Every structure is written in structure tokens, then in C-alpha cells.
Amino acid sequence: MAVSAALVIGPMRMADVAAVLEIERLSFSSPWPAFAFEQELTANRLAHYRVARLADGVVAFGGIWLMVDEAHITTFGVHPDHRRQGIGRRLLLQLAEVALELGSSRMTLEVRVSNEAAQRLYHSFGFNITGRRVAYYSDDGEDALVMTTPDLAGPAMQAVLAAEQARASENGLG
Ligand SMILES: CC(C)(COP(=O)(O)OP(=O)(O)OC[C@H]1O[C@@H](n2cnc3c(N)ncnc32)[C@H](O)[C@@H]1OP(=O)(O)O)[C@@H](O)C(=O)NCCC(=O)NCCS
């Protein structure tokens, strides 16, 4: 299902933190506190955060840390009222474009083993399972899967990114 209003993606600002915290609270069992985002936006030179907005405000957010040549997705979420509309895909595409621009050769992340929705998104975006971190989540001891893309500039990921760009345009999320 396509969203009806224009989606605009841009850098996360301090003024966005309250809306981002609300999406975090609705999405994660251990949401980040406000100061964590404030630190990321003001003090962490490796951090690059983006938000996606519709007319009524921020509906999704995500960020990467640039670790040498690897872009590590630190957090990523879509407001529950706006899921299954392609916004997660569109924002992930944006993060991949930022990662490429910054010279990353691949993207990586951790995801809960129980989080099948996110794993499906990442699989369809070219990520593969490359590891498992036992008892990674401190709130309940759940394991994390490590998922990593092939070379972002290589043919496989370039084909994924081109397909995602075409899909975003078709859905009016261009
Ligand atoms: C995971 C999440 C970011 C997906 O965002 P979204 O905007 O709903 O995703 P999209 O609409 O772009 O869907 C992309 C793909 O993800 C998969 N997907 C998303 N939600 C799904 C669900 N509930 N069940 C199964 N697959 C799902 C599908 O493969 C989907 O592609 P399709 O619509 O062509 O079938 C969102 O569910 C979310 O914010 N979850 C809570 C936070 C979270 O888990 N973040 C990731 C932490 S690693």
C-alpha cells in the first residue's frame, strides 16, 4: 500500500528527538533515552541519523555509525500507525545511499532472533546472516543475529538498490 502524502527524508535534528523517542517507546522493549540521541546528534562524529516525515510529523527514523569502511545500523524504526507502507524500505535505501556516499563498503546490524518482520526487510534488501551474538539483549537475554550486506558498490547490491529506487518511485516514495 502506498502512502498518500509526500514522504520527506532528511537529517535528524534535536527538534525531532521527542517524536523519535515516542516511536522508540512504541517499538522497542528497551528504548534509548533522550540523552543518547542528543549525544549522537551533537558529539558523535561517526553518527549519521535520518528521519522520514509526512505532513503530520516524523514517522520513521534510523541511524548509522561509520566504522572504518562499515556502516553499522544503530537503530531503525517506523511508527506503528505507518508500517507496511514501504516507509521502512525507503528509509533503509536512504541509509544505504548515505553509507555509500561516506565510502562504506557494506552495511551491518544486529536484530533480535524473534524479529521476523525486520529480518524479512533486511533479507529482501540484500543482507545475509553473518553471525549470532548470544544473550546480546540485556533486558531479556535474547540472542541477536548479525546481518551484513555484500559490497555496496558491487553488482548484487547495486541491483538491490536500483530495484528499491524503482519500487520507491512506483509507490510515490521516490
Ligand atoms: C521492521 C520495520 C522497521 C519495518 O518497517 P515498515 O515500514 O513496516 O516496512 P515496509 O513497509 O517497508 O516493509 C518492508 C518489508 O519488510 C517485511 N515486513 C515488514 N513488516 C512485516 C511484518 N509485520 N511481517 C512480515 N514481514 C514484514 C516485508 O518483507 C516487507 O516487504 P513487503 O511489504 O513487500 O512484503 C517496522 O516493523 C518497525 O519499526 N518495527 C519495530 C522496530 C524494529 O524492529 N526495528 C528494527 C530493529 S533491528
Side-chain angles (χ1 to χ4, degrees):
M1 183 177 64
V3 295
S4 50
L7 186 79
V8 178
I9 300 179
M12 187 189 297
R13 303 188 203 98
M14 291 291 267
D16 299 321
V17 170
V20 167
L21 288 175
E22 175 63 3
I23 301 172
E24 276 260 325
R25 188 183 67 75
L26 295 167
S27 300
F28 298 114
S29 50
S30 296
W32 284 12
F35 76 82
F37 282 103
E38 288 159 8
Q39 279 280 115
E40 290 290 86
L41 297 183
T42 57
N44 185 352
R45 289 171 163 218
L46 302 177
H48 301 269
Y49 284 81
R50 295 291 180 272
V51 291
R53 302 169 204 280
L54 290 172
D56 53 352
V58 172
V59 293
F61 67 95
I64 55 176
W65 284 349
L66 190 63
M67 314 283 277
V68 194
D69 66 341
E70 192 167 271
H72 190 124
I73 296 181
T74 55
T75 184
F76 187 79
V78 176
H79 192 289
D81 292 347
H82 296 277
R83 290 182 189 160
R84 300 314 300 261
Q85 297 176 17
I87 293 174
R89 280 184 185 286
R90 181 64 190 87
L91 186 57
L92 194 54
L93 174 63
Q94 191 79 20
L95 292 181
E97 288 171 348
V98 170
L100 260 173
E101 275 170 30
L102 294 172
S104 301
S105 57
R106 60 191 171 278
M107 300 178 84
T108 189
L109 54 83
E110 285 94 13
V111 57
R112 285 180 182 268
V113 291
S114 64
N115 191 348
E116 291 177 14
Q119 287 170 41
R120 273 176 188 253
L121 167 60
Y122 300 137
H123 269 303
S124 72
F125 219 92
F127 285 78
N128 300 303
I129 295 170
T130 51
R132 185 175 184 120
R133 301 197 201 288
V134 175
Y136 180 77
Y137 296 98
S138 55
D139 57 348
D140 61 1
E142 186 172 351
D143 292 359
L145 298 176
V146 180
M147 298 186 77
T148 309
T149 66
D151 182 0
L152 288 170
M157 278 309 291
Q158 285 294 305
V160 168
L161 298 180
E164 290 296 336
Q165 276 155 358
R167 186 199 289 246
S169 297
E170 276 167 27
N171 290 339
L173 296 171

